[in-house]
């Protein structure tokens, strides 16, 4: 069976064990030297001035919204094909999701659709742009549209650690960039973890308060909307180790993606293109109107797959009762009905990748 994901093995595991031992020896487990070092190193890696680590990626998005002053009665524009995670953060902040359709080719936010939302009566206070599947959205144009409208833009980089264009990495374009370090991410911890990056010192200061109860100083709550959302020292130590491997891992993901794309070029299958620096292949997602039959075929041949994501946010049961259920997002809905994720992770060997290719190819050969 070819699994959908396997965690890193070998030398990196030994290095992580040493890092955990270092934390155990220090006897300091929350907001200590490892967190400070990771925040400094990750900010530099992203090309921004500050990183504020938090407990998970959803908290990163919610606290980013709160740091920008988003709250009850405000609207937040976002795409609806990214698993409802952004919508949860918007709801937690007390705001209202304003869904924007996606680009057919990239499956990320469509600038023309965002422009229409920005010009509508329900003009949002913020925009969340999700870099989906490891690919940068058309972030420069989206930033320009948001700036022209005077609206804060937040990047959701949970699937795009290291994706870059024009020498700039994901997280460095908007006012804030939000990351998840869930174990399957390009940069994953041994559990949950997240971070917000920014070059705005005022936003960074508010985020540091919000992640720790809204304290101005210990036991003195000055900022509403705060919570207990802190990355612990052991996760920070592990992330410091794994950060040093990230460029190598991203290159490995791209190599697998190129191998797939070359093999699938002649098949009636939409595959990611191009495989360049703007794509770190967090997920290798193909599209087929025969998605479910193809998935069953692959399962029968020992290839694990997943669907990211089968239900659009505005079609979720919790959204159907509100304004979200009335949205018209035709490109989003077509994507949700046809996407299929194939195994693509560092450590997937060439022989395994060839087995995936053979299984996909055999489906179309049998059909023809």
């Amino acid at each position: 069976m070819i699994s959908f994901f396997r965690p890193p093995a070998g030398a990196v595991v030994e290095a992580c064990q040493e890092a955990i031992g270092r934390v155990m020896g220090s006897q300091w487990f929350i907001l200590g030297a490892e967190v400070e070092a990771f925040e400094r190193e990750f900010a530099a890696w992203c090309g921004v001035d500050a990183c504020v680590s938090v407990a998970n990626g959803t908290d990163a998005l919610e606290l980013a919204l709160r740091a920008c002053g988003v709250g009850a009665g405000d609207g937040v524009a976002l795409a609806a094909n990214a698993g409802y995670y952004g919508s949860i953060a918007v709801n937690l902040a007390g705001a209202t999701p304003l869904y924007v359709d996606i680009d057919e080719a990239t499956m990320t936010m469509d600038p023309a659709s965002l422009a229409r939302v920005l010009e509508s009566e329900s003009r949002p206070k913020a925009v969340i742009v999700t870099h989906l599947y490891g690919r940068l959205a058309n972030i420069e144009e989206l930033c320009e549209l948001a700036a022209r409208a005077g609206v804060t833009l937040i990047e959701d980089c949970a699937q795009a650690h290291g994706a870059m264009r024009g020498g700039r990495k994901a997280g460095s374009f908007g006012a804030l960039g939000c990351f998840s370090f869930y174990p399957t991410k390009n940069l994953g911890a041994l559990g949950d973890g997240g971070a917000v990056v920014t070059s705005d010192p005022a936003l960074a200061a508010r985020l540091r308060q919000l992640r720790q109860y809204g304290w101005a100083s210990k036991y003195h709550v000055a900022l509403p909307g705060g919570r207990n959302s802190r990355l612990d020292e052991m996760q920070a130590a592990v992330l410091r180790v794994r950060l040093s491997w990230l460029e190598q891992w991203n290159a490995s993901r791209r190599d697998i993606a190129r191998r797939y794309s070359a093999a699938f070029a002649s098949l009636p299958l939409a595959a990611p293109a191009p495989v360049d620096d703007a794509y770190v292949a967090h997920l290798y997602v193909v599209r087929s109107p025969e998605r479910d039959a193809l998935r069953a075929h692959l399962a029968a041949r020992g290839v694990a797959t997943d669907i990211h994501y089968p239900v659009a946010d505005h079609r979720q049961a919790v959204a159907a009762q509100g304004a979200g259920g009335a949205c018209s997002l035709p490109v989003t809905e077509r994507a949700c009905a046809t996407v299929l994720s194939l195994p693509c992770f560092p450590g997937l060997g060439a022989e395994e990748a060839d087995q995936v290719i053979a299984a996909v190819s055999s489906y179309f050969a049998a059909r023809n």
Side-chain angles (χ1 to χ4, degrees):
M1 180 73 180
I2 298 175
S3 60
F4 188 73
F5 174 78
R6 287 195 304 267
V12 68
V13 174
E14 296 178 9
C16 288
Q17 289 171 335
E18 291 177 7
I20 291 170
R22 185 172 67 241
V23 174
M24 295 297 292
S26 76
Q27 292 295 294
W28 192 290
F29 302 111
I30 300 293
L31 295 183
E34 296 292 342
V35 165
E36 290 177 6
F38 172 70
E39 289 180 342
R40 184 172 60 251
E41 291 159 8
F42 191 64
W45 191 82
C46 290
V48 297
D49 292 342
C51 167
V52 181
S53 59
V54 294
N56 55 68
T58 306
D59 282 2
L61 286 168
E62 181 197 349
L63 297 184
L65 289 168
R66 290 186 181 279
C68 294
V70 172
D74 295 326
V76 177
L78 71 166
N81 66 323
Y84 207 75
Y85 303 116
S87 294
I88 288 174
V90 173
N91 292 336
L92 288 170
T96 301
L98 303 174
Y99 294 119
V100 178
D101 213 350
I102 59 173
D103 175 78
E104 187 82 55
T106 66
M107 291 186 282
T108 59
M109 183 178 285
D110 175 46
S113 296
L114 175 63
R116 287 192 290 272
V117 171
L118 291 172
E119 293 165 1
S120 68
E121 291 183 4
S122 54
R123 182 170 171 272
K125 188 166 184 176
V127 179
I128 294 176
V129 175
T130 300
H131 302 304
L132 197 64
Y133 306 147
R135 182 171 301 286
L136 279 183
N138 190 348
I139 189 64
E140 297 90 344
E141 186 175 354
L142 295 167
C143 281
E144 183 179 343
L145 287 169
R148 195 182 306 152
V151 173
T152 301
L153 187 142
I154 297 167
E155 297 175 71
D156 179 353
C157 311
Q159 299 187 10
H161 308 70
M164 110 190 286
R165 188 184 293 125
R168 297 178 66 181
K169 286 181 178 171
S172 69
F173 295 90
L176 296 155
C178 300
F179 290 84
S180 166
F181 303 125
Y182 185 77
T184 60
K185 303 301 184 184
N186 290 45
L187 178 61
L190 298 183
D192 276 319
V196 186
V197 300
T198 184
S199 289
D200 185 322
L203 288 176
R206 283 201 287 277
L207 285 162
R208 290 192 177 95
Q209 284 185 263
L210 287 166
R211 75 171 173 188
Q212 184 153 253
Y213 313 114
W215 281 353
S217 58
K218 193 171 183 179
Y219 305 137
H220 291 81
V221 179
L223 199 60
R227 63 174 59 228
N228 177 358
S229 182
R230 301 171 299 204
L231 185 72
D232 69 65
E233 285 285 285
M234 284 190 286
Q235 299 298 354
V238 166
L239 288 168
R240 292 182 67 198
V241 171
R242 291 184 167 188
L243 182 59
S244 67
W245 290 71
L246 185 50
E247 296 289 0
Q248 178 181 330
W249 288 341
N250 283 348
S252 176
R253 288 175 181 271
R254 287 193 189 97
D255 287 344
I256 296 165
R258 290 189 185 99
R259 192 182 195 96
Y260 284 163
S261 292
F264 299 153
S266 61
L267 299 181
L269 195 69
V275 178
D276 56 14
D277 286 349
Y279 176 56
V280 291
H282 171 64
L283 294 168
Y284 188 90
V285 178
V286 297
R287 294 182 63 182
S288 171
E290 302 174 36
R291 187 261 313 280
D292 294 340
L294 174 58
R295 190 181 192 199
H297 175 89
L298 295 176
R301 281 152 184 77
V303 176
T305 60
D306 208 337
I307 299 174
H308 298 90
Y309 297 90
V311 183
D313 292 15
H314 67 300
R315 296 301 186 199
Q316 295 283 0
V318 294
Q321 302 170 10
C327 289
S328 175
L329 303 173
V331 184
T332 296
E333 294 189 18
R334 283 198 298 274
C336 290
T338 57
V339 291
L340 180 67
S341 302
L342 303 180
C344 185
F345 55 87
L348 182 76
E351 184 177 333
E352 291 177 305
D354 286 344
Q355 290 178 48
V356 174
I357 290 168
V360 172
S361 300
S362 68
Y363 171 80
F364 293 101
R367 189 194 63 172
N368 292 331

